[in-house]
Amino acid sequence: LAAAPRRVAALESDVEAQTQAAAGLRRKISALEGEKGALGVAAEARLTKLAAEKAAAEVRCEELQRAAEAAAAHTATHSEFQDAATARLAEAERARRGPRGG
């Protein structure tokens, strides 16, 4: 029975230590929740930026595709003109030579 007050004091000390440890853990949890929120905001901002970059890249790809199609059409038209000019030159050369040249 004489040891009871010491035992009570030791238990009270343990309770105080556990209470302080719990308070420390609550502070750590709160800090981690704050970090989690900040990371969430940063991740959301990054996703928004990436989405905007993707949209801009898609627009640029469409522009490049249209430019490539226009260049191909221009090349085809140029080739047709060149073929027609070559045919006219050949015809003019045949005409110049007369009936015996052909």
Side-chain angles (χ1 to χ4, degrees), residues 16-29:
E16 179 62 27
Q18 293 297 323
T19 301
Q20 288 183 11
L25 288 173
R26 280 193 296 276
R27 284 191 297 276
K28 285 182 183 178
I29 288 170

Side-chain angles (χ1 to χ4, degrees), residues 13-89:
S13 177
D14 283 348
V15 167
E16 179 62 27
Q18 293 297 323
T19 301
Q20 288 183 11
L25 288 173
R26 280 193 296 276
R27 284 191 297 276
K28 285 182 183 178
I29 288 170
S30 179
L32 288 171
E33 286 173 346
E35 287 179 28
K36 177 184 169 189
L39 288 173
V41 168
E44 197 64 40
R46 181 76 176 133
L47 285 173
T48 300
K49 181 182 176 191
L50 289 173
E53 289 173 359
K54 178 182 178 240
E58 288 172 347
V59 167
R60 183 69 179 135
C61 282
E62 290 172 7
E63 290 171 351
L64 290 172
Q65 182 64 37
R66 285 193 297 275
E69 290 168 358
H74 177 76
T75 300
T77 301
H78 180 72
S79 181
E80 289 171 8
F81 281 130
Q82 192 173 16
D83 291 348
T86 301
R88 283 194 302 275
L89 283 173

